[in-house]
Amino acid sequence: MSFLLLSCIETESVICPSGRVCAPGLMCAVTQDICIETPCGDGITQADEACDDGNVMKGDGCNESCTSNETCGNGIQDPSEKCDDGNTVSGDGCSADCQSTEFCGNDYLDVAKQEKCDDGNTTSGDGCSADCQSTEFCGNNYLDVTKREKCDDGNTLSGDGCSEDCLSTEFCGNNYQDVAKQEKCDDGNSLGGDGCSADCRSTEFCGNDYLDGAAGEKCDDGNTLSRDGCSADCLSDETCGNGYPDLFKNEQCDDGNTSGGDGCSADCLSDETCGNDFPDPGEGCDDGNNSNDDGCNADCTNPENRCGNGLVDSGEECDDGNPIHTDHCLNTCKRARCGDGVIATQINPPEQCDDGGESSECDLDCTEARCGDLVVNGKANEECDHGVETPSCTAMCRVSHCGDGYSNPAAGEACDDGNADSCGTCSATCSQARTPTTAKGQLKAIPGNQFDDGETFVLDDGLSRPLTFVFTDVDDSEDTDDLKFIQNEGSAWDMADAIRDKINAQEPLAIEATLPGILGFTVVLRHTEQTALGNQRIIESVLNPNFSVEGMSEGRAGDCAQGIGCMGPEDCAPGLECTTTTTTTAKVCQQ
């Protein structure tokens, strides 16, 4: 019977050890009970084979075509691998274990790409930032804007320029009360007179032991009692000549100086009217009435006394017997003094001005008011005066701080764009200027037949919603609001042309695409606005490693939001203007 069966088998057939009969042209696999057409599976590694384990099964150290020994780094992407670029080095687009294509949002922590996290998306605010560089906790030395951080200096300590919760850069006027900086309040400005002082150290009520000049206080001794050197309403230091009549001090008047002869005596105890029973300078007598023939004339003069006779009569401070009104003795027989309203040009040193007190043109020492004269003139809106520009006082005699819109070199400022945030043309510490530039990126195309149907890349201009571009094998695919289709056909040059044209056809996408010949089939992308908001990643799903992208980067300035201080339009985000508000002269970004 065996002889009869064998006689039915063609002479060129092969009988395997298992008894399987392989037809002519086929051969037996060594370790698998099948017939094979090629040498793959014969147990002998041929010149064109990477391995041969005697079977055509995958997952056992040699794949089914004998072209891969199924190890990472052999240049062949096996089913268990996400990529394989022929090495086991990370940082080149394929991780050392071939499990990651090394882009943020793939749910794989790529340490070689400096990723701090990767939760499988590119959305901030969920514990991992959109660029995978931050785990979004305060103190990690990364500014998480989505978490409303204003700063992050790598620690959770206050008092070092960044608060312990990273919500304040610890300067007065940022609408955050920094207790570590001894702030008592912070209403978002440094004006004073609005319930919070310009230095945020006072809530501006009388009796808090803090002198609130902007609230009109002249003193504050920590109580609301008079007769202790500060009046109950904090408007007087209870000295004569302060412009405030202190009744508890028996003052009858106070005209803001300690000069007599101007309607208020030098000691503020007389209104200098004849008949008040107070002998004022210039009066020969004052008996408390305006009658004659009682030893004192009705006009409080004695017949034998007169100013200008060269004799210092009763009631006169001086009498030089000349008609000159600008020397040391005035024509009223009063001694010339700063604040009497007479410009005494013939005294030493001569007065430059005298407005009867401080004015915007005249200092209290009767010298002409100017910024830099070392005299702080409040009527001229001076906040300080150090003679020269210093770290705390600008050349305009204003208190200096980063964000005031003035770049103070003495304070180490290199710039000041009107805010202390990290946006605009100047850093949050005013130490580094930023030249407005546009963001740039690029895509390198491949031939149309090397794209798989449905592969995508996403462009985000930072101003409008992202657009998804889809490579398709279908001829009549129609674009939607969110999906823009590109036909997979032609050479890499043709695909580069198609990509460029499709991008440039999109409105309102603020990204312009060009195809410079010197870069081959690389599509160069440039943001149409000078703004840091254009620095966005380009997310793509193309498996072919020859298709590559470089995300949008190098955009600077032009990113300050609504209500943030500014100095020019280059500080504000697109769509906003840098203009003054209706309540202050400060400029802010607004529509």
Side-chain angles (χ1 to χ4, degrees), residues 209-292:
D209 203 25
Y210 185 95
L211 182 61
D212 295 301
E217 289 189 351
K218 304 300 181 183
C219 58
D220 197 317
D221 58 358
N223 63 62
T224 53
L225 303 175
S226 293
R227 297 182 180 177
D228 58 357
C230 185
S231 61
D233 56 8
C234 297
L235 298 179
S236 171
D237 58 4
E238 298 184 327
T239 58
C240 176
N242 65 3
Y244 185 99
D246 294 298
L247 300 181
F248 289 103
K249 289 285 189 175
N250 298 316
E251 289 186 352
Q252 301 302 311
C253 58
D254 197 315
D255 58 356
N257 62 64
T258 54
S259 301
D262 56 358
C264 186
S265 62
D267 55 8
C268 299
L269 299 178
S270 170
D271 59 5
E272 297 186 323
T273 58
C274 177
N276 65 1
D277 203 25
F278 191 96
D280 296 301
E283 292 182 343
C285 57
D286 196 319
D287 57 1
N289 63 63
N290 300 108
S291 302
N292 291 314

Side-chain angles (χ1 to χ4, degrees), residues 130-173:
D131 59 4
C132 299
Q133 299 298 309
S134 171
T135 50
E136 298 186 321
F137 66 87
C138 175
N140 65 358
N141 207 31
Y142 183 98
L143 184 64
D144 293 299
V145 179
T146 306
K147 290 292 187 178
R148 298 182 297 110
E149 289 190 349
K150 301 297 184 183
C151 58
D152 197 316
D153 57 358
N155 63 62
T156 53
L157 303 175
S158 292
D160 58 356
C162 185
S163 60
E164 62 183 9
D165 57 6
C166 299
L167 297 180
S168 171
T169 49
E170 298 187 320
F171 69 89
C172 175

Side-chain angles (χ1 to χ4, degrees), residues 97-151:
D97 58 3
C98 299
Q99 295 302 307
S100 171
T101 51
E102 297 186 320
F103 67 87
C104 175
N106 65 358
D107 205 23
Y108 185 98
L109 184 63
D110 293 300
V111 178
K113 288 289 188 177
Q114 289 80 48
E115 289 189 350
K116 304 301 182 183
C117 57
D118 197 316
D119 56 359
N121 63 63
T122 53
T123 303
S124 293
D126 57 356
C128 186
S129 60
D131 59 4
C132 299
Q133 299 298 309
S134 171
T135 50
E136 298 186 321
F137 66 87
C138 175
N140 65 358
N141 207 31
Y142 183 98
L143 184 64
D144 293 299
V145 179
T146 306
K147 290 292 187 178
R148 298 182 297 110
E149 289 190 349
K150 301 297 184 183
C151 58

